[in-house]
Amino acid sequence: KQWYQRRVRGLETAVRLLNPSLFKGQPSLLNPENVVSFSSKYSWKCHLNYGQPVLLLSQGGRNVFMFSAEQQSWIRDQRIHIELPKDTIVEAQVAEVFQGDTGGMRTHSVVLTDGIVLGGQDVFQKPYSERQILLEKLCLTIRKESYKRWQEVIPVRPLRVENFYTMTSSLVVQHVKGYSTPRLAHCVKDKKMLVRGMMLIRHIKEPWNMELSSKLKKFYFFNAKTRESQYQWPAEAAADFSYTRTSSLVWPWDATIWSQILQREAISDKLLESFLNRVQPVKQKTVDQR
C-alpha cells in the first residue's frame, strides 16, 4: 500500500509540473453570451454528458484512483471498479446504468472522455482527435483483457455539433428505480445510461477556426486574428488537454429541454433555439460525421 501511495504521489507530481492548471480548470456553463461561439460550428464537437468530469489515475490493474478536488489528493471511489493500464491518467465520467425496460437494476459504467497519460505515453499535447483515437484503442484493449470481470469502460465518441440530432436520436425518457420523476437516458443495446446534458468541446485552438468551403465542399482553416486561410492543418491549432478542458462548455438539460429536443419542433427555450440556429447543417454532400 505504501509503495502504491508513493507511485501515485510521484505520477501526480509529474502531471502537476507538466501543467499546474490541470487540476483546477473546469468547463463553463453554456449561456446566452458564449453560445455565439458556435458561429464557427466546425471548430466544436459534442458528446452526451453523463456526470461530472473526473480525473482517474491507474498504477496497474484495479489500482485506479480518482482525483478529489475537495481533498486535493487521489482517492478510491466506491463506484469505480475497473482495470486500466499502469501509468495512465484519463478524464472520465461515471454513468448510472439501468438494465431492462423497467430500469430496475442499477450499475455504473466508466466513460473515458479524454486522455493525459496512456500506459506511460504522454498524450497531453496531442490534438484532440488523436487523443480520442488512442482512447478507443485503449478501451478495445481493456475489453479484450477484462471482459465481464469488471465494469464496462467505454470511449465517448464525440460528433461534430452540426450532428446534434444524430447524437440525440437514441435518447428516451423513462421511469427508473430510485428517481421520483422520469429521467433522460441513452439507449445502448439493452442498457440505458442516464444523461445529464451535453458537453461541447472546442477541438481547434483559437484564433484558428475550421470552416467549410461552400463551393468546394472542403474543410479549411481560418485564422481570425491574421485573416489567413489554408487547407493544410496548422500545427499551432492543435488543442491540447488543458485547452479543451478549460474551453469546454457544459449544458445541463432539464425536462423542458428534453421534450423539445425529442419532439424536434415547437422550440421555445431561447438557449436551445439560439444553439440550433447556429449549428444546424447546411444541405450538402457532407463528409464523415466524426
Side-chain angles (χ1 to χ4, degrees):
K1 182 177 179 180
Q2 290 180 347
W3 180 80
Y4 274 115
Q5 288 177 340
R6 289 196 298 271
R7 289 297 306 273
V8 167
R9 287 197 295 269
L11 190 51
E12 175 186 354
T13 300
V15 175
R16 283 184 181 277
L17 290 174
L18 182 66
N19 194 316
S21 66
L22 180 63
F23 295 83
K24 299 179 181 179
Q26 291 290 339
S28 302
L29 286 174
L30 182 70
N31 57 55
E33 286 71 38
N34 57 32
V35 75
V36 298
S37 303
F38 298 98
S39 56
S40 176
K41 61 185 179 183
Y42 300 112
S43 300
W44 291 82
K45 292 191 176 183
C46 63
H47 64 75
L48 296 172
N49 181 28
Y50 302 101
Q52 181 72 20
V54 297
L55 295 178
L56 301 180
L57 178 149
S58 172
Q59 286 303 295
R62 294 186 62 193
N63 293 289
V64 177
F65 303 85
M66 184 187 78
F67 185 76
S68 168
E70 181 180 350
Q71 300 179 31
Q72 287 294 296
S73 63
W74 297 96
I75 63 172
R76 287 195 181 272
D77 189 305
Q78 296 303 313
R79 301 171 300 166
I80 299 172
H81 305 282
I82 62 174
E83 289 184 340
L84 288 175
K86 179 181 176 182
D87 293 341
T88 290
I89 300 180
V90 292
E91 182 188 68
Q93 295 177 356
V94 183
E96 286 188 83
V97 181
F98 292 84
Q99 301 275 4
D101 295 332
T102 60
M105 181 176 146
R106 182 168 71 172
T107 59
H108 292 91
S109 289
V110 176
V111 183
L112 302 190
T113 55
D114 211 339
I116 306 170
V117 183
L118 304 179
Q121 178 189 3
D122 177 12
V123 300
F124 183 91
Q125 296 187 7
K126 290 184 180 295
Y128 178 75
S129 296
E130 189 172 338
R131 298 199 305 273
Q132 293 302 313
I133 292 172
L134 292 172
L135 280 180
E136 287 209 37
K137 292 180 179 178
L138 176 69
C139 290
L140 181 60
T141 301
I142 294 170
R143 282 198 296 270
K144 287 180 178 179
E145 295 181 354
S146 60
Y147 182 64
K148 290 186 177 179
R149 284 191 294 167
W150 313 118
Q151 283 174 312
E152 186 177 24
V153 180
I154 56 178
V156 73
R157 296 191 178 97
L159 298 178
R160 294 202 308 268
V161 291
E162 73 271 19
N163 295 298
F164 173 79
Y165 278 125
T166 299
M167 183 189 69
T168 59
S169 61
S170 59
L171 298 181
V172 297
V173 177
Q174 180 179 333
H175 285 279
V176 292
K177 186 176 180 180
Y179 289 92
S180 58
T181 57
R183 307 295 298 178
L184 186 67
H186 175 208
C187 296
V188 184
K189 297 181 180 179
D190 62 335
K191 301 176 182 178
K192 293 180 175 64
M193 303 169 64
L194 292 197
V195 173
R196 313 293 181 181
M198 187 169 72
M199 292 294 298
L200 300 143
I201 302 96
R202 199 179 209 287
H203 67 106
I204 304 293
K205 198 170 187 178
E206 293 182 299
W208 287 96
N209 293 308
M210 181 184 284
E211 306 291 350
L212 181 66
S213 169
S214 57
K215 183 178 180 180
L216 299 177
K217 309 300 181 188
K218 184 178 179 181
F219 287 117
Y220 67 94
F221 301 92
F222 175 72
N223 189 312
K225 186 175 182 179
T226 65
R227 318 303 292 178
E228 172 190 1
S229 62
Q230 61 186 64
Y231 285 107
Q232 186 178 5
W233 166 264
E236 60 272 25
D240 62 22
F241 175 84
S242 181
Y243 183 85
T244 54
R245 183 175 175 87
T246 55
S247 63
S248 293
L249 300 172
V250 59
W251 186 7
W253 291 343
D254 58 21
T256 302
I257 296 180
W258 300 350
S259 59
Q260 293 180 37
I261 291 173
L262 296 178
Q263 292 174 7
R264 304 193 181 192
E265 58 184 17
I267 305 298
S268 59
D269 183 87
K270 296 300 183 183
L271 185 58
L272 176 60
E273 180 183 25
S274 181
F275 175 80
L276 292 176
N277 286 340
R278 287 171 168 81
V279 306
Q280 286 298 283
V282 179
K283 291 183 179 180
Q284 59 182 4
K285 295 180 181 178
T286 189
V287 293
D288 176 28
Q289 292 176 357
R290 300 197 35 211

